[in-house]
Amino acid sequence: DDGDLSRIPLSNEIVLKGHSKVVSALAVDHSGSRVLSGSYDYTVRMYDFQGMNSKLQSFRQLEPFEGHQVRSLSWSPTSDRFLCITGSAQAKIYDRDGLTLGEFIKGDMYIRDLKNTKGHISGLTGGEWNPRSKETILTSSEDGSLRIWDVADFKSQKQVIKPKLARPARIPVTACIWDREGKRIVGGIGDGTIQLWSIKPGWGSRPDIHMEKAHADDITGLKFSTDGQILLSRSADSTLKQLIFTGTSVEKEGTSGGLLCFFDRRKLELVSRVGISPKYSVICCAWHPKINQVFATVGDKKEGGTHILYDPSISQRGALVCVGRAPRKKSVDDFEAQPVIHNPHALPLFRDQPSRKRQREKASKDPMKSHKPELPITGPGFGGRVGSTKGSLLTQYLMKQGGLIKETWMEEDPREAILKYADVAAKDPKYIAPAYEETQPEPVFAKSDSEEEE
């Protein structure tokens, strides 16, 4: 009805930023107060409308598996925990505040029959919490299986489902969901089929409904309608089967950017289209029924964000709570006691010395240490001092120049200078000889050998 179209909240928009790459996963809790966004930058960011102000910053950032993209996020029915699916083979469970509760076991990749492996052996593609049971989750993987797990036991799985295939092979399961009552599961298979299993006593891998050639390419999204009568599917083949509301990609040579498209459920006609981003594709989208706000994630290899569309007249809480809440201004009465922090390792005694290279670089930037060294002093000196002026004092220099100080030792032969005192020392000894004059014996020298031989 036209009345339904007027209830689409499109008048206002905010963007939750923080990711450095495309936002690939989105989950809004049942009360509409907490938002999870996962990205190809390997991180999950947690946003809380009640705690955020207009800066719209996340309160926690997680990295579930290093080097693995985040592919899917799902809240438990009571919103006290959430499931995180990454490109690794192990799903993780976190509590509401982002603390790790555990991760499911990985299977042995050398066992050929998937029924006998204890867990997935290849990267996960999707996962969802059972909407009616807070202890059960569903996962799908590139190894070609769907598995049901008990959250209370991370070491063992409850059920392994192998889809029906035309011939034996390992074809990845690209998407999986529960129905609204948690009594049926649906898998989107890489061969383009959609298969549905009803959970009942004695059920196995044979599907109850098998839709062949549902799509011509990988199925990227599945959803049940609120009444559970219609199954919605989306694919990379650019088709929408029974879709009510979806996002579109940016085409290489197209003029339009990432869009949100709203379709009439009965006629499957396009009734409304909203431009979200001029240069980024829309990856995930969700329309929260309680707060009546539309979420759409966008991004590329360098940036990612979550756009939230709302209308103050028909939307409740959610983005409205934090948009009007500007950061609090500091009052003159505010007081914050600065604690005294004793950190002995900050003292120079304990501090790590920088490397020699760093010390050289630092010294080269210091104008005092990096100045040109003084050249060595050459030439004769005077009085024990080296200097080109033959003495460091100006007075001495001037006296030498005037002839008052004469230096003859420069021109004399050292041997002659000593020997000229030899006769005076023999005639008038001053020091050692007089002391031993009376007791000194007459020196008797041995005759030379040559005289004896003669």
Side-chain angles (χ1 to χ4, degrees):
D1 298 338
D2 293 336
D4 290 339
L5 294 179
S6 65
R7 282 192 56 78
I8 301 176
L10 304 176
S11 63
N12 298 56
E13 181 187 44
I14 62 170
V15 183
L16 305 179
K17 294 184 178 179
H19 289 292
S20 59
K21 288 188 179 177
V22 59
V23 180
S24 53
L26 173 72
V28 189
D29 76 344
H30 302 287
S31 65
S33 63
R34 277 203 180 169
V35 181
L36 305 173
S37 66
S39 169
Y40 277 12
D41 65 5
Y42 317 134
T43 64
V44 174
R45 284 183 177 265
M46 304 180 69
Y47 300 87
D48 184 21
F49 286 129
Q50 303 296 327
M52 277 196 301
N53 55 27
S54 57
K55 289 183 179 177
L56 305 177
Q57 292 176 332
S58 60
F59 73 89
R60 178 151 292 170
Q61 181 178 352
L62 315 168
E63 188 170 357
F65 277 95
E66 187 177 355
H68 285 290
Q69 300 164 346
V70 181
R71 293 184 173 172
S72 179
L73 295 162
S74 176
W75 285 100
S76 69
T78 52
S79 298
D80 61 334
R81 291 167 290 179
F82 67 87
L83 167 69
C84 178
I85 301 291
T86 63
S88 74
Q90 295 170 274
K92 265 193 169 181
I93 302 289
Y94 292 88
D95 72 1
R96 186 174 171 80
D97 295 318
L99 299 175
T100 309
L101 297 178
E103 65 181 18
F104 294 102
I105 193 169
K106 184 179 180 180
D108 186 347
M109 65 179 72
Y110 297 107
I111 296 176
R112 186 136 188 88
D113 189 357
L114 292 171
K115 287 268 188 185
N116 296 327
T117 61
K118 294 182 178 179
H120 287 294
I121 59 172
S122 298
L124 301 172
T125 57
E128 192 177 47
W129 211 297
N130 187 325
R132 297 292 180 187
S133 168
K134 63 179 184 178
E135 299 302 327
T136 311
I137 67 159
L138 171 70
T139 58
S140 62
S141 168
E142 294 165 356
D143 64 13
S145 68
L146 296 102
R147 293 170 197 254
I148 296 175
W149 304 80
D150 188 347
V151 179
D153 185 7
F154 291 101
K155 300 285 185 188
S156 67
Q157 59 211 359
K158 290 171 70 174
Q159 184 85 14
V160 181
I161 304 110
K162 291 166 66 177
K164 181 181 177 183
L165 301 172
R167 60 181 183 276
R170 276 194 185 171
I171 297 176
V173 182
T174 56
C176 65
I177 56 158
W178 296 90
D179 73 343
R180 303 274 174 172
E181 299 300 318
K183 294 179 180 177
R184 293 175 293 180
I185 62 171
V186 181
I189 318 302
D191 59 4
T193 63
I194 294 176
Q195 302 183 26
L196 181 146
W197 294 265
S198 295
I199 297 175
K200 53 187 182 290
W203 72 289
S205 284
R206 183 170 292 277
D208 294 288
I209 298 175
H210 182 262
M211 290 170 272
E212 291 187 45
K213 298 180 182 177
H215 286 285
D217 207 334
D218 284 352
I219 295 161
T220 57
L222 295 166
K223 212 76 172 176
F224 272 101
S225 62
T226 311
D227 58 9
Q229 297 301 309
I230 294 180
L231 175 66
L232 318 171
S233 67
R234 179 183 65 185
S235 169
D237 63 6
S238 303
T239 62
L240 320 168
K241 301 293 172 73
Q242 305 252 11
L243 193 59
I244 310 301
F245 152 68
T246 188
T248 66
S249 305
V250 175
E251 295 180 8
K252 284 186 179 177
E253 310 215 344
T255 54
S256 62
L259 307 172
L260 279 181
C261 300
F262 297 83
F263 288 81
D264 181 84
R265 173 172 161 172
R266 292 180 293 271
K267 301 175 186 174
L268 291 181
E269 292 176 353
L270 182 67
V271 293
S272 179
R273 192 170 67 185
V274 183
I276 295 296
S277 174
K279 56 180 181 176
Y280 299 140
S281 301
V282 176
I283 310 299
C284 301
C285 52
W287 189 344
H288 200 282
K290 273 194 177 180
I291 60 176
N292 194 23
Q293 293 173 27
V294 174
F295 297 77
T297 70
V298 301
D300 63 0
K301 293 179 180 178
K302 297 179 181 176
E303 186 184 1
T306 304
H307 291 248
I308 303 174
L309 302 175
Y310 65 98
D311 189 328
S313 59
I314 56 174
S315 299
Q316 301 172 357
R317 300 192 305 277
L320 293 166
V321 175
C322 58
V323 168
R325 188 186 294 168
R328 178 178 172 270
K329 292 180 181 177
K330 288 197 172 183
S331 166
V332 291
D333 298 322
D334 285 357
F335 171 72
E336 188 177 342
Q338 296 296 334
V340 180
I341 299 172
H342 299 281
N343 186 4
H345 291 283
L347 296 171
L349 177 66
F350 297 102
R351 196 174 298 149
D352 292 334
Q353 288 296 324
S355 65
R356 295 282 180 87
K357 184 180 177 184
R358 294 292 299 275
Q359 287 176 332
R360 285 198 304 272
E361 287 175 359
K362 193 174 179 182
S364 67
K365 293 176 183 176
D366 188 342
M368 295 300 293
K369 290 182 180 177
S370 62
H371 75 288
K372 185 179 178 183
E374 293 178 358
L375 294 171
I377 298 170
T378 58
F382 181 76
R385 296 186 181 183
V386 179
S388 57
T389 60
K390 300 182 183 179
S392 58
L393 296 178
L394 179 62
T395 314
Q396 291 177 350
Y397 176 72
L398 294 173
M399 288 172 73
K400 284 176 207 165
Q401 296 297 99
L404 298 176
I405 298 179
K406 289 185 180 179
E407 293 181 0
T408 57
W409 61 269
M410 290 292 288
E411 291 83 24
E412 280 183 318
D413 180 29
R415 189 167 179 277
E416 290 179 4
I418 295 171
L419 287 176
K420 72 181 181 181
Y421 297 106
D423 296 335
V424 180
K427 291 177 184 176
D428 186 19
K430 288 184 179 179
Y431 303 108
I432 298 173
Y436 299 99
E437 199 171 21
E438 296 177 4
T439 57
Q440 193 71 10
E442 204 54 45
V444 178
F445 299 106
K447 294 179 181 179
S448 65
D449 296 337
S450 58
E451 290 177 2
E452 289 178 2
E453 288 172 2
E454 291 173 359

